[in-house]
Structures are given as C-alpha cells and as structure tokens.
Amino acid sequence: MDNAYENDYIVIKALEDGVSIIGLTRGRDTKFHHTEKLDKGEVYIAQFTEVTSAVKIKGCAEIYTKHGKLNSDG
C-alpha cells in the first residue's frame, strides 16, 4: 500500500444527539459523498481513502486521531 492516507483512521464519539459526519471527496473538485448522523454515545470509525480526503463534523463530539483527542464545540 503506497498511499499513506489509507492507514489513517479517526474515531468520532457523539456527545449529543444529531451529530453529523460528512465525508468529502479527494480530487480537483471537493464534493460531499457520504453522510452519517450519530446519537449521543454512538461511535463512528472513519478511514481516509482514495475517495475520502476530509471529514466534516457538526455537533458536539470527541474526535480521536493519531495526533490526539479533539472536542468539537457544536
């Protein structure tokens, strides 16, 4: 596997109902390609791939990456 991004995962834990996760495409034009809604306590594990270059999170959540833990304020 030559693409280092394919080894990157993030974990998102919802701290409230209705947290939105939006996957964004890689390439010349960035577009939404996937959405998820989480309720409080639900956990989502996402992997960066050839298609997914970024993830947008709306709502209060804990985000765990190889760089550490972040909290979104919602």
Side-chain angles (χ1 to χ4, degrees):
M1 192 178 307
D2 291 340
N3 299 320
Y5 57 77
E6 289 185 357
N7 293 319
D8 284 343
Y9 290 85
I10 62 170
V11 177
I12 302 153
K13 180 180 179 183
L15 300 177
E16 66 182 5
D17 287 345
V19 172
S20 295
I21 302 168
I22 304 163
L24 302 165
T25 61
R26 185 178 301 282
R28 188 169 197 195
D29 297 320
T30 301
K31 300 176 185 172
F32 297 133
H33 76 81
H34 185 84
T35 61
E36 292 288 334
K37 274 262 203 239
L38 300 180
D39 288 329
K40 186 176 182 176
E42 290 185 321
V43 174
Y44 187 81
I45 301 170
Q47 180 182 24
F48 293 96
T49 66
E50 279 185 29
V51 176
T52 304
S53 66
V55 176
K56 181 177 180 177
I57 301 165
K58 290 183 178 181
C60 288
E62 291 177 341
I63 303 121
Y64 298 86
T65 74
K66 68 180 181 181
H67 304 288
K69 178 182 144 187
L70 307 162
N71 284 326
S72 65
D73 293 333

